[in-house]
């Protein structure tokens, strides 16, 4: 859906966010009214000064009116200050509320949504698009209201003073209104294109910066630079359109205003020369101000309307995200207790894409306290089991239960609190090691973290870093090696004291010392709790209480290491001799 300049439903939805700030909202309108009155009053006082005191050489009266105009000017400045300040303040408060709502809404989305949504686009919606909404209030809505009120006040004063001269200005206004309307429509289309190109640029830059290592490894710098030049050129062309329309409109508006002023002066001067008693030199002085005050707001309304359009387009994009119904369904009402760890998959089917099943009716039982290793080729469905157990995705058929209760009956937050995951691709925030471990959970103290680190054998490694637990690992943990990041992830899982532990325990490309730490950490945190391990190494497979072998979405074998090795031509036996054993010997 494309945003309209006067999409009333969209505008009403934006105004809903002003409800908590209604006193300030009405205060801004009140200052807009006072501003328009004081602005229109100054030319009137100038007429009185010229006609009643300057022409009659009345110095005392002249001084009084000069002082009176000074007071009116101060009141106008006072109104202008509070009008601008409160309008911008209101806009920023509304932006804060919408941004908080949008971010919380995005955090509730299922993983399925993030599989397809460009990260750069979401960043654009959350930052620049929302900031543009603030300009609806700071540079758009209230400015238009103020300008319209100023025009009304000026017209009332003009007709009260001299209706003959006023009609000249009124007859010229439809021409300017018509030109303004054409300009507004053109700018609406241009701004829509600008926002589209900004989103495309943000998405492109976000992906290339994140994947810079791949870009450089495969010598893609020149190719990616060329692609960026194309995107950047489209962005430039979109902005050039807005510049062109502005360059055409404002000179035309100035010409119309100047011609109207010339017509008023010519006609008014002739009236005075012909002895018309209703037209004075004070009128000519006053109308030179009135014409500017009447036409400049009309011209500026078009400019402010541009801001409204940009804000409405941005609001439409933001509300599109807010209207997405991709939240994980909070179907449960039961607080998950401290899990014993009995897990049952019964007839579970699942597909990421419709009609392309990844899990094809599996039955799997894990007893409390067991360590179960899941092995299989890439794409067999191993990682999908992790995703389903945490309800990152919803199953198509069957059921998954923990301790005899369907996981959909547990409150989602309490379910995930009882399950800790260590992924192969560890994500760390640009923060200290301590905060990456606790994730700013106030219930986990520094002493608990240190104690846990000593238990799993990573305390000395952390203390060897500059600043120890206060060492900032930078974005995505780039200051640490992959093995070190995984050690931090183990500690993060351990301090949360989960009932169920899930490990993707890949340790490829790590040195011997780090691998020993990871093996020790694995043994410590899996001891005495239900653990599901996507196994990549022979040592983990051999020590598991049960091995589950997956292939193309099916469980093809289950048993201990020795039991499965005893099956001639078995899937696990072939995997053992072709992969696990080869890897062990190579080391």
């Amino acid at each position: 859906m494309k945003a309209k300049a006067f999409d009333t439903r969209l505008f009403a939805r934006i105004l809903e966010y002003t409800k908590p700030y209604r006193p300030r909202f009405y205060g801004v309108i009140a200052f807009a009214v006072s501003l328009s009155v004081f602005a229109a009053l100054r030319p009137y006082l100038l007429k009185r000064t010229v006609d009643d005191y300057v022409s009659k050489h009345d110095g005392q009266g002249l001084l009084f009116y000069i002082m009176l105009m000074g007071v009116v000017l101060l009141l106008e400045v006072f109104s202008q200050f509070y009008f601008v300040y409160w309008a911008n303040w209101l806009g920023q408060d509304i932006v804060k509320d919408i941004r908080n709502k949008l971010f919380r809404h995005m955090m509730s989305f299922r993983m399925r949504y993030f599989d397809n949504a460009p990260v750069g686009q979401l960043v654009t919606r959350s930052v620049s698009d929302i900031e543009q909404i603030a300009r609806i209030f700071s540079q758009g809505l209230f400015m238009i209201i103020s300008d319209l009120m100023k025009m009304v006040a000026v017209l009332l004063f003009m007709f009260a003073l001299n209706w003959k001269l006023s009609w000249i200005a009124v007859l010229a206004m439809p021409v300017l209104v018509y030109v303004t309307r054409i300009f507004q429509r053109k700018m609406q289309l241009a701004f829509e294109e600008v926002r589209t190109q900004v989103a495309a640029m943000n998405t492109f830059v976000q992906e290339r910066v994140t994947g810079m290592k791949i870009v450089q490894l495969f010598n893609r710098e020149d190719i990616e630079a060329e692609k960026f030049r194309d995107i950047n050129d489209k962005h430039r062309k979109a902005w050039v359109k807005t510049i062109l329309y502005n360059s055409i409109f404002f000179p035309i508006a100035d010409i119309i205003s100047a011609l109207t002023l010339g017509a008023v002066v010519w006609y008014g001067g002739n009236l005075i020369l012909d002895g018309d008693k209703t037209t004075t030199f004070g009128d000519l002085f006053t109308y030179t101000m009135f014409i500017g005050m009447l036409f400049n707001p009309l011209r500026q309304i078009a400019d402010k309307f541009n801001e409204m359009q940009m804000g409405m387009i941005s609001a439409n994009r933001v509300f599109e995200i807010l209207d997405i119904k991709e939240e994980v369904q909070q179907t449960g009402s039961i607080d998950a207790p401290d899990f014993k760890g009995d897990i049952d998959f019964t007839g579970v089917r699942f597909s990421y894409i419709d009609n392309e099943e990844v899990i094809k009716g599996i039955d799997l039982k894990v007893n409390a306290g067991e360590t179960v290793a899941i092995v299989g080729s890439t794409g067999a469905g191993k990682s999908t089991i992790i995703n389903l157990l945490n309800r990152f995705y919803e199953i198509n058929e069957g059921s998954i239960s923990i301790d005899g209760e369907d996981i959909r009956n547990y409150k989602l937050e309490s379910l995930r609190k009882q399950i800790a995951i260590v992924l192969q691709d560890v994500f760390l925030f640009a923060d200290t090691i301590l905060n990456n471990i606790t994730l700013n959970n106030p219930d986990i103290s520094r002493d608990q973290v240190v104690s846990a680190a000593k238990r799993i054998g990573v305390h000395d490694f952390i203390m060897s870093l500059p600043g120890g637990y206060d060492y900032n690992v930078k974005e995505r943990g780039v200051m640490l090696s992959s093995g070190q990041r995984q050690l931090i992830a183990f500690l993060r899982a351990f301090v949360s004291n989960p009932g169920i532990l899930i490990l993707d325990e890949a340790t490829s490309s790590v040195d011997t010392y780090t691998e020993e730490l990871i093996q020790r950490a694995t043994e410590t945190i899996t001891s005495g709790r239900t653990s599901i391990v996507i196994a990549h190494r022979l040592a983990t497979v051999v020590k598991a209480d049960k091995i589950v072998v997956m292939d193309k979405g099916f469980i093809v074998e289950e048993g201990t290491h020795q039991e499965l090795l005893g099956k001639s031509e078995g899937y696990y036996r072939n995997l053992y001799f072709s992969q696990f054993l080869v890897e062990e010997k190579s080391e």
Side-chain angles (χ1 to χ4, degrees), residues 5 53 108 158 252 423 456:
Y53 302 102
S108 72
M158 287 173 69
I252 291 176
L423 296 173
I456 67 173

Side-chain angles (χ1 to χ4, degrees), residues 535-553:
H536 300 264
R537 308 303 288 251
L538 180 61
T540 304
V541 176
V542 171
K543 293 176 182 178
D545 297 309
K546 181 167 64 175
I547 301 168
V548 175
V549 185
M550 295 193 69
D551 183 42
K552 297 178 181 178

Side-chain angles (χ1 to χ4, degrees), residues 416-431:
R416 290 179 177 171
K417 191 175 182 180
Q418 285 295 312
I419 303 174
I421 305 179
V422 178
L423 296 173
Q424 179 179 349
D425 183 17
V426 177
F427 186 94
L428 297 180
F429 295 95
D431 206 337

Side-chain angles (χ1 to χ4, degrees), residues 350 352 358-359 381-389 393 534:
F350 172 75
Y352 293 105
V358 179
I359 300 295
K382 305 185 298 294
S383 297
T384 301
I385 288 179
I386 294 176
N387 291 332
L388 298 180
L389 191 60
Y393 299 86
I534 297 178

Side-chain angles (χ1 to χ4, degrees), residues 110-267:
R110 304 173 187 176
M111 288 299 109
R112 187 191 300 271
Y113 176 80
F114 295 104
D115 291 341
N116 301 309
V119 174
Q121 187 180 86
L122 294 177
V123 172
T124 302
R125 300 293 179 267
S126 303
V127 182
S128 58
D129 275 335
I130 287 186
E131 196 60 43
Q132 191 64 42
I133 295 174
R135 297 178 70 84
I136 292 177
F137 299 95
S138 62
Q139 300 295 324
L141 173 65
F142 292 125
M143 290 295 182
I144 291 174
I145 291 174
S146 175
D147 287 342
L148 288 174
M149 288 182 174
K150 190 179 295 184
M151 289 170 62
V152 170
V154 166
L155 281 172
L156 291 174
F157 271 93
M158 287 173 69
F159 274 97
L161 293 177
N162 192 314
W163 64 269
K164 295 177 183 177
L165 298 181
S166 300
W167 276 112
I168 297 175
V170 170
L171 290 174
M173 286 181 66
V175 179
L176 187 54
V177 169
Y178 176 72
V179 173
T180 300
R181 182 58 180 163
I182 295 174
F183 171 69
Q184 169 207 320
R185 288 173 178 169
K186 294 291 185 181
M187 290 298 286
Q188 179 183 349
L189 296 174
F191 282 140
E192 179 77 39
E193 179 64 18
V194 166
R195 298 312 301 166
T196 299
Q197 295 306 325
V198 167
M201 184 179 292
N202 283 346
T203 300
F204 185 88
V205 172
Q206 172 87 21
E207 289 180 345
R208 270 59 186 183
V209 171
T210 304
M212 188 57 69
K213 184 178 290 186
I214 300 299
V215 171
Q216 294 183 356
L217 278 173
F218 289 91
N219 297 313
R220 297 276 300 178
E221 294 94 334
D222 292 340
I223 295 173
E224 297 302 330
E226 187 62 35
K227 287 183 179 179
F228 181 77
R229 275 194 290 270
D230 290 341
I231 294 172
N232 198 23
D233 189 54
K234 290 178 181 178
H235 176 263
R236 179 190 65 83
K237 287 178 180 177
W239 270 113
V240 166
K241 279 186 181 180
T242 69
I243 295 169
L244 174 64
Y245 296 147
N246 278 298
S247 301
I248 294 172
F249 170 74
F250 288 107
I252 291 176
D254 286 339
I255 289 171
I256 295 172
S257 177
L259 290 175
T260 304
L261 178 59
V264 167
V265 172
W266 175 80
Y267 182 63

